[in-house]
Amino acid sequence: MESHKKGEETKSNDWLCWTLVLVLVGLVASASVLTLLSYFKHSKSKTGGVPDCPGPVVAQYAYALDIAMRFFDVQKSGKLVDNRIWWRGDSGLQDGSDENLDLSKGMYDAGDLIKFGLPMAFTATILSWAILEYGDQMDAVKQLGFAHDSLKWITDYLINAHPCPNVLYIQVGDPEVDHNCWQRPETMTEKRPALQINTSFPGTEVAAETAAAMASASLVFKKVNSSYSNLLLMHAQQLFTFADTFRGSYSLSIPQVQKYYNSTGYGDELLWAAAWLHHATGDESYLNYVTEINGQAFSSWGSPSWFSWDDKHAGTQVLLSRISYFGAKGISGAENIDIQMYRKTAEVVMCELLPDSPTATSSRTQNGLIWVINWHSLQHSMASAFLAVLYSDYMLTSQTEILYCDGETYKPEDLREFAKSQADYVLGQNPMEMSYLVGYGSNYPRYVHHRGSSIPVDAETGCRDGFKWLYSPEPNPNLAVGALVGGPFFNDTYVDYRNNSMQSEPSTYNNALLVALLSGLVTTSSVVQSFS
């Protein structure tokens, strides 16, 4: 990332599903059957840990999901295994060696070659959340295995980056040095120092986000690899204790991150991490942490905000709404009131997103895209759309029919339609008539701000002479397949220019949000009531 950046194939249904629906609705027109089938799958309350069978696959979203998932392979560092990107090779093999650590895995955050811990951990948390909520839908379109692989590639790195309870390595590479070079990751020549936070130089935001990543991932791997799941959970608990005991902003401890991933506060990350640890452990102390102990101080109840790598409030509010909808062990009456405050704030967020709501946000383009800032403008639309489709499914699964917005009523389907509008915009239904997902359709960005994509594989370049490829008038020789570029300006325009990093640079964390959104839209099924 550059300075100043803030950041059908139709799957046949099980015959039993059809029979149950036909019994419910009688002999009606087939179109009505399909409509009610979709509703039935969503509204049926779950009594077990396995979702109802997925409904028909939406071809365009399945195709887009397959493509978007590949960008994580584009971004991998380390010794590549089962490499799906022909122009990528091994890189960063010596990362962490100066500290006697193996930090070779992980992912480069964007178009550069730095491993930034905060956005990387957020990427892992979002991937985990998507798998936990929509893993059956990913599996229906054969993407679940790839999601597991990408997630583990990051968590392997995060485990190695946490060598002892109160030390976490949160960055590999010097961004100032890196941004003075234009090289493929396979041929990097510059030094790559590893930076840490510790008790003397704390970093509550990144430690808590890494705890959230490991706690959520522990749930993903619980039935796949129990020993690995237990290891992740141990690290998550240690990191949360570290983050909470030694409070301090990592932006102050390590000032150089301020130009790239500056934090605006750490209270949201502490709540986010504790919420995930509650889901992972069932420990009531984590629930007390987000309610009685710190609810008033950190939650911003009643105040909607934009979900992103920096601000976890809206994500936490939706995640804790799960408890309001589906229940959890150990909730006392007082705690339940606090949980309802999280849900009420989540509802405020949803009402702002609905375009016809009396409280609809004005932060959207003329063509309906949620738009907040110039830099990586699609981050907030993808995050908002993911939360909307998820909240819609919480309502349907719990048979909650109505969302009230300042006297007006809306249905779960309204939230889903909003989410679809954001995805459809990205996939080509926009004034530019182009896809913002590289490799999707025939018209997509060709001049992506991405070092590896922009330099021919056989080019021999050093640090500085590689800049000729940044300024080359030719399209990128290597396709950064699956890259979600930064996005359009407020007037719905996009300039396909490689040095226009504000618009043309992709990032792993925005891709994770797109993957999560598409996983929720690719087909339909009720969500599980518990992750455990």
Side-chain angles (χ1 to χ4, degrees):
M1 62 165 277
E2 300 304 311
S3 298
H4 312 299
K5 186 175 99 179
K6 181 156 171 69
E8 212 125 286
E9 176 187 348
T10 300
K11 188 176 182 67
S12 62
N13 290 298
D14 185 278
W15 180 251
L16 178 59
C17 292
W18 282 99
T19 303
L20 290 172
V21 173
L22 289 171
V23 170
L24 286 173
V25 302
L27 299 175
V28 294
S30 59
S32 298
V33 172
L34 289 171
T35 300
L36 287 173
L37 174 62
S38 176
Y39 177 81
F40 177 80
K41 289 176 182 300
H42 277 91
S43 64
K44 181 181 177 183
S45 293
K46 298 299 296 177
T47 56
V50 180
D52 295 326
C53 49
V57 168
V58 181
Q60 72 180 71
Y61 298 141
Y63 177 41
L65 178 58
D66 174 73
I67 290 174
M69 197 75 76
R70 294 174 186 265
F71 186 62
F72 299 121
D73 294 301
V74 171
Q75 297 302 96
K76 284 180 178 178
S77 169
K79 184 73 175 177
L80 301 186
V81 180
D82 298 325
N83 183 19
R84 298 201 292 168
I85 309 299
W86 71 267
W87 50 270
R88 278 303 323 276
D90 300 341
S91 65
L93 298 180
Q94 298 303 310
D95 283 0
S97 59
D98 290 347
E99 304 293 330
N100 295 315
L101 297 173
D102 179 7
L103 301 180
S104 60
K105 281 190 174 182
M107 295 182 188
Y108 306 115
D109 79 302
D112 57 12
L113 306 179
I114 305 299
K115 296 175 187 175
F116 288 101
L118 182 57
M120 195 193 305
F122 179 70
T123 298
T125 311
I126 297 303
L127 271 177
S128 293
W129 200 4
I131 294 168
L132 291 167
E133 302 282 9
Y134 296 122
D136 62 320
Q137 304 190 176
M138 289 180 173
D139 198 29
V141 292
K142 299 178 172 59
Q143 296 301 313
L144 182 57
F146 296 123
H148 279 159
D149 174 74
S150 295
L151 174 59
K152 191 172 184 295
W153 201 268
I154 296 176
T155 54
D156 283 352
Y157 167 90
L158 295 177
I159 288 171
N160 288 351
H162 182 226
C164 52
N166 294 334
V167 173
L168 176 67
Y169 284 84
I170 55 90
Q171 183 176 303
V172 177
D174 184 327
E176 297 301 324
V177 173
D178 179 86
H179 287 170
N180 280 313
C181 294
W182 193 266
Q183 293 178 290
R184 297 179 67 242
E186 294 80 3
T187 59
M188 287 186 290
T189 57
E190 64 270 21
K191 290 184 178 182
R192 294 176 59 77
L195 303 182
Q196 65 170 251
I197 55 171
N198 49 52
T199 58
S200 299
F201 297 93
T204 296
E205 307 93 337
V206 64
E209 181 59 63
T210 307
M214 290 184 163
S216 57
S218 75
L219 286 164
V220 170
F221 293 110
K222 190 171 185 177
K223 294 180 181 179
V224 179
N225 187 335
S226 60
S227 60
Y228 189 69
S229 172
N230 291 334
L231 178 62
L232 286 168
L233 187 55
M234 179 196 74
H235 281 281
Q237 291 174 309
Q238 288 181 353
L239 280 165
F240 180 76
T241 299
F242 171 42
D244 191 39
T245 304
F246 300 94
R247 292 186 183 181
S249 175
Y250 95 128
S251 294
L252 297 178
S253 295
I254 307 176
Q256 66 169 269
V257 304
Q258 294 176 15
K259 290 177 61 179
Y260 304 95
Y261 291 103
N262 185 53
S263 171
T264 56
Y266 55 72
D268 54 322
E269 276 87 8
L270 287 171
L271 295 178
W272 176 242
W276 277 113
L277 279 161
H278 171 70
H279 282 293
T281 66
D283 189 329
E284 188 176 350
S285 67
Y286 293 117
L287 194 59
N288 289 335
Y289 187 94
V290 301
T291 54
E292 295 176 347
I293 300 173
N294 292 294
Q296 290 282 358
F298 296 151
S299 65
S300 296
W301 287 328
S303 301
S305 59
W306 298 108
F307 187 40
S308 71
W309 60 263
D310 177 47
D311 193 333
K312 315 300 167 24
H313 284 106
T316 304
Q317 290 148 10
V318 171
L319 180 61
L320 289 173
S321 293
R322 264 193 150 271
I323 299 174
S324 172
Y325 280 112
F326 307 124
K329 294 180 181 179
I331 297 182
S332 69
E335 289 170 343
N336 193 47
I337 293 174
D338 291 336
I339 290 297
Q340 289 301 320
M341 290 301 297
Y342 281 106
R343 175 172 167 176
K344 288 181 181 296
T345 308
E347 290 175 349
V348 173
V349 173
M350 296 303 123
C351 290
E352 285 214 335
L353 298 179
L354 291 169
D356 297 328
S357 165
T359 57
T361 180
S362 60
S363 297
R364 66 185 87 218
T365 70
Q366 185 175 352
N367 287 271
L369 179 75
I370 292 294
W371 196 99
V372 181
I373 58 174
N374 280 319
W375 282 95
H376 283 216
S377 61
L378 288 175
Q379 63 180 300
H380 297 110
S381 56
M382 295 302 94
S384 299
F386 168 54
L387 294 183
V389 72
L390 192 54
Y391 205 82
S392 169
D393 286 341
Y394 288 175
M395 293 179 66
L396 284 165
T397 302
S398 64
Q399 301 185 56
T400 303
E401 298 180 355
I402 298 298
L403 171 67
Y404 293 94
C405 299
D406 199 23
E408 298 293 328
T409 61
Y410 298 88
K411 298 179 179 180
E413 291 85 349
D414 296 319
L415 286 171
R416 191 174 185 87
E417 285 303 312
F418 161 76
K420 287 171 62 177
S421 74
Q422 304 301 289
D424 292 346
Y425 186 107
V426 163
L427 298 180
Q429 293 184 23
N430 56 66
M432 299 295 292
E433 297 183 345
M434 66 175 290
S435 164
Y436 289 101
L437 178 63
V438 175
Y440 182 90
S442 58
N443 184 22
Y444 50 80
R446 307 285 175 163
Y447 296 82
V448 181
H449 184 93
H450 189 277
R451 287 159 173 74
S453 175
S454 69
I455 304 174
V457 173
D458 58 357
E460 295 183 5
T461 62
C463 169
R464 299 293 300 175
D465 56 345
F467 275 104
K468 66 183 179 182
W469 301 109
L470 170 63
Y471 302 114
S472 169
E474 300 299 321
N476 288 11
N478 309 314
L479 189 68
V481 60
L484 177 69
V485 295
F489 285 136
F490 185 63
N491 62 2
D492 293 296
T493 63
Y494 179 86
V495 179
D496 193 11
Y497 176 53
R498 194 177 295 111
N499 203 27
N500 176 19
S501 57
M502 181 183 291
Q503 289 190 291
S504 67
E505 188 175 18
S507 65
T508 53
Y509 44 97
N510 287 348
N511 256 78
L513 291 163
L514 174 62
V515 162
L517 169 61
L518 292 171
S519 297
L521 295 176
V522 70
T523 182
T524 56
S525 68
S526 57
V527 295
V528 294
Q529 292 190 9
S530 172
F531 294 143
S532 59

